[in-house]
Amino acid sequence: MGAVILLLFLFVFGTPSNFPSGNRISLDDFANYVRQGNVASITVRGGQDVIIELRNGSTVSYYKERETDLFEALTTFGVTNQQIAALRYIEQQGDNTTNLLFQLAVAIVPTMLIIWLLWRMMRSVRSGQDQALNFGRSRARVTRDMERPQVTFADVAGCEEAKEELKEIVEFLKEPEKFIRLGARIPKGVLMVGPPGTGKTLMARAVAGEAGVPFFSISGSEFVEMFVGVGASRVRDLFDRAKAESPAIVFVDEIDAVGRHRGAGLGGGHDEREQTLNQILVEMDGFETGTNIIVMAATNRPDILDPALLRPGRFDRKVVMDNPDVKGRQDILKVHIKGKPLAADVDLEALAKITAGFSGADLENLINEAAILTARRNKKAIGMSEMQESMERVIMGPERKTRVITEKEKKVIAYHEAGHAILHHLLENANPVHKITIIPRGRAGGYVMSLPEDDIFLRSREEFEDQIAAAMGGRAAEEIIFNRLTTGASSDLQQATQLARAMVTQYGMSETLGPRTFGGGQGAVFLGREIGEQRDYSEQAAEQIDGEVRRIVQTAYNRAYSTLTENRDKLDALAAILLERETLDRETFEAIMDGKLTLSEANGSGVAGRPSAD
């Protein structure tokens, strides 16, 4: 583009038109000046430019062709030889610089323009070739010691055992002689397994911050492309780069994207993915040994990984990162509240107890939602009410205050939630009630928050039966009070059925079918969980399973119905207070159940009112 502009500039402004200054005259006027004797001198410059000095001191100019004879032209216009002889005539050499530059520009600029166009074309072709050659290059991000992330083990809480395992890996890389001296072999790989949100990737970033060695991170999905062989090529390139900078750590996030069981799928599976997996297996433990590289990988689906990938020599260690216990949750909350102003009423220990089942990501989201809610309420510090509200927001979703509910529907919801709450309170093995509300939140018209006092790792048959009975309390209350059924119990029925089926098919808690499991797990992953389920029982056993599930659910419903019928007075009282107050906390609810608080007293006490507006 620059060459084209330069060429236009030279064509417009570089033409040979630099005549001397002064008034331009024609040959006829020139001849008249000579005949009248007004010309003092004539200067011809370069054979073309004629400068005429008049007797009055002014100067005019005339342009003639180089081949034209000036005096012959004047004679033609009536000038005599005597008049010509009387003129003072001077001839000077002209300045041809402009003409020369113009001629050079005409010759050089088009050539340069052609050369520039050819260079651009060759550069485009070379760029395409480079992209084709780089297609098989690894796209791993490299983090070295001088540019390592600021995340360290001090920033990771709630998984001390996993942290200790990985600290040892870091020590292997920093002081290998300490272990080699005793004949120990450095582990080839570490597989981090756990549900989503438990901090697997965060732990890998902490290892990168602690290790002090190059850290290559890549996602499993970045290996596989639409072209055959690209994934295997990228694996080779990744390990070649890591070997060149060994000792090093290679981290593959979501390794199940390429590490699934080979042969799963119609027609033998995805051939490109299997080639990539084969290359990973060879690089981790093939003919070449002695490479000082540790491979870290993370997945939440260890059940679908290929067995060859999990054997010792490839992934020697499996670090399980499960949801944290109550102490771990408290430590995680302490990590995430750093730099945030907290009110004096915030009790992290109590918050950790009521967040059973929360992962590290859930707890981080809880703190963040509480901070957002505090800013929305124009407060200076995060209080316990914001923590409680954010926990409910994480579990159920935001309150739907604009939802219009008729008084009739509101009464049904009040009795429904009262039925759940009373059974949770009366049944021995059910979880205690922390909150009851008939304010819609998320997709629920109301809910009962029942949380365990402690972390539970072993569940008994009696606990399952009481949990199913409590789930059926809403439907039973509707039938007792209104003698009709609504769709409000749909999720309760689904939960109760799933628990009953798990008791029969997974936990062997059926006296009729005995202590065995039914269903060998998932089949081919691509088919889906239900279609691909491995069915290892007969049609007769399937009928018995259905009958046993029906019996467990029906028995639980009968227990719920009879219990609520016996405690009809408490059901009516609780529903009436819910209709008046909309939200009750644990203390108020237990006071009502113990008969220490009536409707009039609850209205006058002013406790357990509706939460403050967002």
Side-chain angles (χ1 to χ4, degrees):
M1 184 60 69
V4 174
I5 295 175
L6 178 61
L7 182 62
L8 292 176
F9 177 84
L10 291 175
F11 267 108
V12 174
F13 299 101
T15 55
S17 59
N18 298 327
F19 295 112
S21 61
N23 298 325
R24 185 82 54 82
I25 63 173
S26 64
L27 183 58
D28 186 19
D29 295 333
F30 183 19
N32 287 334
Y33 283 135
V34 174
R35 287 197 302 269
Q36 295 172 5
N38 293 330
V39 178
S41 65
I42 299 174
T43 302
V44 179
R45 185 179 300 166
Q48 293 179 303
D49 303 329
V50 181
I51 303 172
I52 305 164
E53 184 179 352
L54 302 179
R55 294 190 182 276
N56 59 8
S58 61
T59 302
V60 295
S61 62
Y62 162 69
Y63 175 78
K64 76 176 186 66
E65 297 295 335
R66 189 179 296 274
E67 296 81 7
T68 304
D69 186 272
L70 178 61
F71 299 127
E72 288 183 2
L74 290 174
T75 303
T76 305
F77 278 83
V79 179
T80 63
N81 292 330
Q82 291 80 5
Q83 292 172 335
I84 293 175
L87 297 173
R88 191 161 72 93
Y89 178 78
I90 303 171
E91 188 169 356
Q92 297 178 352
Q93 185 177 0
D95 184 9
N96 295 326
T97 304
T98 302
N99 294 337
L100 180 61
L101 289 176
F102 175 73
Q103 293 173 3
L104 288 175
V106 170
I108 294 175
V109 172
T111 304
M112 296 297 295
L113 180 61
I114 293 173
I115 293 174
W116 179 74
L117 292 174
L118 291 175
W119 175 75
R120 289 297 301 267
M121 293 172 60
M122 293 177 64
R123 183 182 177 185
S124 177
V125 172
R126 186 169 61 252
S127 176
Q129 292 176 348
D130 292 342
Q131 290 179 1
L133 293 175
N134 290 333
F135 207 72
R137 296 290 302 275
S138 169
R139 299 181 181 179
R141 278 75 61 188
V142 186
T143 303
R144 295 178 175 83
D145 185 34
M146 68 290 298
E147 57 187 21
R148 63 186 180 183
Q150 298 303 314
V151 179
T152 62
F153 284 139
D155 301 313
V156 182
C159 43
E160 297 304 319
E161 295 81 3
K163 192 188 301 185
E164 290 300 323
E165 288 282 335
L166 295 174
K167 281 182 179 178
E168 193 170 282
I169 297 299
V170 172
E171 193 175 357
F172 266 124
L173 293 169
K174 287 185 174 180
E175 300 180 78
E177 297 81 8
K178 174 181 176 182
F179 301 91
I180 295 175
R181 186 168 55 249
L182 298 175
R185 177 179 59 83
I186 296 178
K188 292 287 186 67
V190 178
L191 181 66
M192 293 187 291
V193 177
T198 51
K200 298 183 292 297
T201 305
L202 179 65
M203 186 69 79
R205 291 170 58 194
V207 171
E210 296 279 353
V213 297
F215 185 88
F216 296 80
S217 61
I218 191 171
S219 172
S221 61
E222 294 183 51
F223 287 117
V224 180
E225 294 279 358
M226 63 182 295
F227 300 106
V228 176
V230 170
S233 175
R234 288 180 178 174
V235 171
R236 287 191 296 270
D237 182 70
L238 171 61
F239 278 86
D240 288 342
R241 290 172 59 189
K243 291 172 186 175
E245 300 192 36
S246 64
I249 296 176
V250 175
F251 174 64
V252 183
D253 199 6
E254 303 295 344
I255 195 173
D256 52 274
V258 292
R260 293 192 177 193
H261 199 295
R262 288 171 291 183
L266 297 174
H270 195 303
D271 185 63
E272 167 64 6
R273 181 184 56 77
E274 292 189 1
Q275 287 188 25
T276 306
L277 174 58
N278 291 338
Q279 189 63 43
I280 292 176
L281 298 177
V282 172
E283 293 290 346
M284 290 190 69
D285 189 21
F287 283 102
E288 185 177 359
T289 58
T291 57
N292 199 9
I293 297 173
I294 293 180
V295 180
M296 295 179 61
T299 181
N300 52 25
R301 295 292 308 278
D303 54 310
I304 66 173
L305 294 180
D306 193 272
L309 194 63
L310 301 177
R311 72 162 177 83
R314 293 202 171 107
F315 283 107
D316 301 276
R317 296 192 177 186
K318 298 175 182 62
V319 177
V320 178
M321 301 188 64
D322 212 338
N323 288 330
D325 56 12
V326 61
K327 183 180 181 303
R329 291 195 298 273
Q330 187 173 351
D331 294 339
I332 292 173
L333 289 171
K334 290 179 181 178
V335 170
H336 291 304
I337 63 172
K338 289 181 180 178
K340 297 180 176 64
L342 295 182
D345 64 339
V346 175
D347 187 352
L348 294 183
E349 183 177 357
L351 191 61
K353 288 182 179 180
I354 65 175
T355 51
F358 274 46
S359 65
D362 293 330
L363 294 172
E364 180 187 10
N365 190 32
L366 184 149
I367 298 295
N368 186 61
E369 288 289 342
I372 293 173
L373 191 60
T374 303
R376 188 182 302 168
R377 294 176 176 176
N378 295 320
K379 293 184 177 181
K380 301 298 183 182
I382 304 173
M384 195 64 182
S385 61
E386 285 77 27
M387 292 287 190
Q388 178 80 16
E389 174 70 16
S390 65
M391 184 193 70
E392 297 175 22
R393 184 185 293 265
V394 169
I395 297 175
M396 303 290 297
E399 287 187 354
R400 302 173 61 184
K401 298 177 182 178
T402 58
R403 182 177 177 181
V404 179
I405 302 177
T406 64
E407 291 299 322
K408 184 178 180 180
E409 287 183 340
K410 191 174 181 180
K411 186 175 182 180
V412 173
I413 294 172
Y415 273 99
H416 183 102
E417 302 305 333
H420 285 306
I422 291 173
L423 287 173
H424 275 287
H425 180 76
L426 296 178
L427 296 178
E428 180 182 358
N429 299 297
N431 297 325
V433 174
H434 284 261
K435 182 178 180 180
I436 317 168
T437 181
I438 59 173
I439 299 175
R441 182 182 288 273
R443 299 180 62 183
Y447 63 93
V448 174
M449 182 181 293
S450 59
L451 300 171
E453 296 287 349
D454 302 304
D455 291 325
I456 299 175
F457 300 100
L458 297 176
R459 304 290 296 273
S460 65
R461 181 169 66 178
E462 290 74 20
E463 289 176 344
F464 280 123
E465 291 174 346
D466 286 358
Q467 187 174 352
I468 294 173
M472 304 300 290
R475 180 185 175 97
E478 291 181 20
E479 186 173 358
I480 292 171
I481 302 300
F482 304 102
N483 197 26
R484 62 187 179 88
L485 304 176
T486 67
T487 59
S490 59
S491 61
D492 300 329
L493 295 175
Q494 184 178 6
Q495 178 188 1
T497 304
Q498 289 176 349
L499 286 175
R501 181 169 289 274
M503 290 175 62
V504 175
T505 61
Q506 298 179 30
Y507 307 130
M509 295 181 177
S510 169
E511 296 179 357
T512 303
L513 294 172
R516 62 154 293 187
T517 61
F518 297 87
Q522 303 299 323
V525 177
F526 74 98
L527 288 176
R529 292 185 179 272
E530 295 181 359
I531 299 177
E533 183 181 2
Q534 295 180 5
R535 186 169 178 175
D536 58 355
Y537 50 88
S538 63
E539 291 294 334
Q540 180 182 1
E543 292 180 3
Q544 291 179 328
I545 291 172
D546 290 340
E548 195 63 6
V549 170
R550 186 185 306 111
R551 182 193 66 79
I552 293 174
V553 174
Q554 187 62 48
T555 301
Y557 182 77
N558 294 337
R559 285 181 64 201
Y561 191 93
S562 61
T563 302
L564 292 177
T565 302
E566 295 171 0
N567 296 272
R568 173 69 182 269
D569 55 340
K570 295 181 179 180
L571 180 64
D572 291 334
L574 181 58
I577 295 177
L578 277 174
L579 286 170
E580 187 68 25
R581 305 294 299 172
E582 292 188 339
T583 299
L584 301 176
D585 61 8
R586 180 174 181 174
E587 295 176 358
T588 308
F589 166 71
E590 291 181 351
I592 296 171
M593 291 295 99
D594 296 338
K596 299 177 181 179
L597 190 65
T598 63
L599 176 60
S600 59
E601 292 172 341
N603 290 338
S605 64
V607 297
R610 183 169 181 168
S612 58
D614 287 1

